[in-house]
Amino acid sequence: MDLFIAIFTGTVIAATPLIFAALGELVVEKSGVLNLGIEGMMLMGAALAFWAVTAGYPMPVAILAGALAGAAASLLFGVLALTFLTNQYAAGLALAIFGSGVSAFLGRGFGSEPIEALHGINVPVLSDLPLIGPLLFRFDPMVYLALVMFAAISWFLYRTKAGLILRTIGESPQTSHAIGYPVIRIRYMAVLFGGAMAGLAGAYLSVAYTPLWVENMTAGKGWIALALVVFATWRPLRILLGAWLFGGMTILQLQGQALGLEVPSELLSALPYLATIIVLVLISRNRQMLALHFPASLAKPFRPAG
């Protein structure tokens, strides 16, 4: 039972940064913009949040700083891709490289000392319940925030007029502009939101998941989050399930190494990424499903007439 609890809680925790980053990218792509720079925004969010903690700021301020760092990085992407109509693929890749370099530069002064990690919430009575307590009521606040963001984004996209407008812009910006909607402004807002969510994901990595500075600590999670959006066929619930799948594979490979399985550790470490690739290949074979939810104007530049 203790092993089951450890795997379950580890899965949820490992999935949390992916949920933040992938949900943010979902909103961005629903507006018709493709930002490949998630990895860079996560690293910048991680670096600034870690710096804020070491500088003595309260944990909420550090997490907010991480979100703002991600949003600021995404603004740079927005200026290039939306104002100057730079190729979105190139601008996103440049942002990923830029974020990696900036975080490495900032991290030179962090040293190797760990910081005090974000504490879990102790809910009176509920946290002490057998089995249910450790499974549901002992996580840190960011885990619950990720679930709240999942519910909020799902409601926003499919239950509000603003969400409908966002999805309409992602399908046909020309029609949306003709109706009178400010396409570029709304896309900027979506890009900034996606950047803030990536920054939150990075902040979670540096102040809760691994409260010790390690260069390039995202270890490809930004690219996994990008893949999860496609894996989910641009639907929030599938993003949540996909993040849990990846988180579960991550924890299982760690448990496998701890149990001393006679399998090369490199292969075990590659299992989460291998599982993601296999699922993406299987999903990609169903072109009808992809076409049904794929934003028609994704990565296509738009300049308002006149």
Side-chain angles (χ1 to χ4, degrees), residues 40-180:
M41 294 184 293
M42 287 178 66
L43 284 168
M44 292 183 69
L48 202 61
F50 194 91
W51 169 84
V53 172
T54 59
Y57 291 98
M59 189 64 74
V61 174
I63 294 171
L64 178 61
L68 291 176
S74 70
L75 179 60
L76 177 61
F77 168 83
V79 170
L80 291 173
L82 301 179
T83 301
F84 295 112
L85 300 183
T86 305
N87 181 281
Q88 293 181 18
Y89 295 95
L93 290 172
L95 178 58
I97 298 170
F98 175 74
S100 177
V102 170
S103 67
F105 175 76
L106 293 175
R108 291 191 306 173
F110 291 157
S112 57
E113 293 297 320
I115 60 173
E116 186 176 354
L118 182 65
H119 295 298
I121 296 176
N122 186 16
V123 183
V125 181
L126 295 178
S127 294
D128 297 325
L129 292 174
L131 187 61
I132 299 298
L135 284 179
L136 300 177
F137 301 109
R138 294 183 186 175
F139 294 107
D140 61 74
M142 293 284 284
V143 171
Y144 300 110
L145 178 61
L147 297 177
V148 169
M149 293 305 298
F150 157 72
I153 290 172
S154 300
W155 173 79
F156 168 77
L157 286 176
Y158 300 106
R159 294 290 185 270
T160 67
K161 180 180 179 181
L164 177 61
I165 292 172
L166 181 77
R167 290 186 288 121
T168 302
I169 288 173
E171 294 296 330
S172 178
Q174 293 81 6
T175 302
S176 301
H177 177 69
I179 295 174

Side-chain angles (χ1 to χ4, degrees), residues 11 15 18-19 22-23 147 150 228 231-232 235-249 276 279:
T11 295
L18 295 175
I19 294 172
L23 285 175
L147 297 177
F150 157 72
L228 278 177
F231 159 78
R235 286 183 282 184
L237 179 58
R238 288 194 173 191
I239 284 179
L240 184 67
L241 297 177
W244 284 343
L245 171 65
F246 182 87
M249 294 297 295
T276 303
V279 171

Side-chain angles (χ1 to χ4, degrees), residues 20-21 23-25 27-28 41 70 74 189-199:
F20 279 121
L23 285 175
E25 180 63 14
V27 173
V28 175
M41 294 184 293
S74 70
M189 293 172 65
V191 166
L192 287 172
F193 176 78
M197 290 287 281

Side-chain angles (χ1 to χ4, degrees), residues 207-234:
V207 304
Y209 189 69
T210 308
L212 174 71
W213 181 254
V214 179
E215 190 172 329
N216 289 322
M217 66 191 312
T218 50
K221 289 182 176 61
W223 302 109
I224 293 295
L226 190 67
L228 278 177
V229 179
V230 181
F231 159 78
T233 58
W234 293 271

